[in-house]
Each structure stands twice: as C-alpha cells, then as structure tokens.
Amino acid sequence: MLWIKSLHIIFMVTWFAGLFYLPRLFVYHAMAEDAPGKARFKVMERKLYWGIMAPGGILTVVFGIWLWALIGFTPAWLYAKVAVVALLVAYHLYCGKLLADFAHDRDTKSHIWYRWFNEAPTLLLLAAVILAVVKPF
C-alpha cells in the first residue's frame, strides 16, 4: 500500500506542477503581441497539458482510486477530499478549454483574469493536503 500511496503523491506533484504553470503561461500568452511569441506559447502550453498535466492527473486519480479501494470509503474526510479532486479535475478540463481557445486564437480574457485564475489550484491544494494529513472529521 505504501508503494501505491507513494505513486499517488508523485503523480499528484506532477499534476500540480502543470496546474500551477499552465495558467501562468496563459498570463504571458495573453500579454504577447508578436506572432512568434504567441506561436511559442501555443507549443509550450500544448506540451505541458498533454505531456505532463494529463498523464499526471490521470495517474493521480488511478492511484487514488486504488488507495480508496484498499482503505474503503468510510471516513468523512475522504468524501471531502473526493469533492476537492472533482473540483481539480473540472479546473484541469477548463484549462484544456482555454488551451483550445488560445490554439485557435479565440482567447478573450485579459492577463489579469488569468492571474486570478492561477490562484485556484493553490487553494485546492491546501484543502486536499489538510484533509489527507489532518483528517479533520
């Protein structure tokens, strides 16, 4: 079980690296004014999303479900953590929508909006870690 938990944590860290960095790339992309710069951001964003974030997110969930099957779904804190993970998956998928908007030059949001958007994973990470470590209920 400790190997499964270790892999869950490793892939969670990988996933969060992308969840933190992709919206930051969106900030810079929204500020870019030259075509070569915008093209470069499109490549970076696509590779980050599909090469790091998607595999990290999928494997985090897979190993999390495996852990869930081993420990059962009885503790109340686990219900709350699953809700946090559902919000993270929704955030991840919305990042994919924003990625597609940038890829097709349909982005309409300002760099300031992306700066605020970039803060959400931090709050969700705090909630997930506190729930998993402190187990407040």
Side-chain angles (χ1 to χ4, degrees):
M1 183 156 124
L2 291 178
W3 280 104
I4 298 165
K5 187 182 285 189
S6 296
L7 290 169
H8 177 65
I9 293 168
I10 289 165
F11 289 114
M12 182 271 307
V13 170
T14 303
W15 187 24
F16 266 93
L19 289 172
F20 288 142
Y21 190 48
L22 184 63
R24 179 55 49 183
L25 288 176
F26 290 159
V27 169
Y28 302 137
H29 193 158
M31 293 172 56
E33 296 177 2
D34 61 303
K38 289 182 180 192
R40 188 176 314 113
F41 282 117
K42 288 177 185 180
V43 171
M44 292 169 66
E45 292 159 358
R46 185 185 78 248
K47 287 183 176 186
L48 178 61
Y49 188 85
W50 293 109
I52 296 174
M53 283 176 65
I58 290 166
L59 290 168
T60 298
V61 171
V62 165
F63 285 107
I65 290 170
W66 195 348
L67 284 170
W68 169 13
L70 292 173
I71 66 170
F73 197 65
T74 53
W77 65 268
L78 195 51
Y79 287 96
K81 185 171 179 222
V82 168
V84 170
V85 172
L87 290 172
L88 284 164
V89 169
Y91 183 90
H92 176 104
L93 294 173
Y94 189 65
C95 282
K97 183 229 179 279
L98 295 172
L99 175 80
D101 288 345
F102 273 114
H104 295 99
D105 298 316
R106 295 186 309 235
D107 57 301
T108 59
K109 296 172 179 29
S110 73
H111 67 94
I112 296 169
W113 186 89
Y114 288 110
R115 288 178 195 279
W116 283 104
F117 179 72
N118 191 37
E119 301 306 320
T122 304
L123 300 174
L124 293 170
L125 176 64
L126 289 171
V129 169
I130 289 168
L131 286 166
V133 174
V134 177
K135 298 175 178 59
F137 43 86

